[in-house]
Amino acid sequence: MPAKMRAAIFVEPGRIVLDEKPIPEIGPLDALIRITTTTICGTDIHIMKGEYPVEPGLTIGHEPVGVIEKLGSMVKGYEEGQRVIAGAIMPSGHSNASLYGFHSQCGAGTAHGWKALGGWRIGNTQDGAQADYLLVPDAMANLAPFPIWGHSIPILNGGTGF
Ligand SMILES: [Zn+2]
């Protein structure tokens, strides 16, 4: 696997560039997804126009479909090579807020377990899906198997033959 990947990076209002970044390292609860399909959301247009602030250097994009490239050692229920989708909010699944079902207020790492996430995480406060690879933290809380409708649907896979 190459050490670098392509990513759509926010530089400043009016400027998003395709550049290289290191492929993310994963921890024991995480997954690395090879992105096969993603899209541009209206929110990305607001980011481009400077109407929604994100940090310069952030990879944008929060609609990932892909294939699991690497799985953390503690992730159960998924396997490398599996086709998956990932949610944009990216809660931990194990904070007090998550355990009560308030995933958008997941406060993992805080003393009480509650904190406003700011709506969603990837492409907002953490590198997003418009890249070759995406780090999915706490993979068991944030992945779902890609739905199968009984036939292969090559038009949805970005032409990769999956
Ligand atoms: Zn969106």
Side-chain angles (χ1 to χ4, degrees), residues 2-9 17-23 57 59 132:
K4 296 256 183 181
M5 65 176 187
R6 297 169 299 171
I9 300 168
V17 300
L18 188 63
D19 204 347
E20 288 191 330
K21 278 192 173 181
I23 295 173
T59 301
D132 290 319

Side-chain angles (χ1 to χ4, degrees), residues 68 71 74-79 82 84 140 143 145:
I68 297 174
L71 271 183
M74 296 176 69
V75 179
K76 306 284 185 226
Y78 293 92
E79 58 189 37
Q82 185 176 3
V84 290
M140 290 163 65
L143 292 179

Side-chain angles (χ1 to χ4, degrees), residues 41-43 62-63:
C41 177
T43 303
H62 53 270
E63 282 95 358

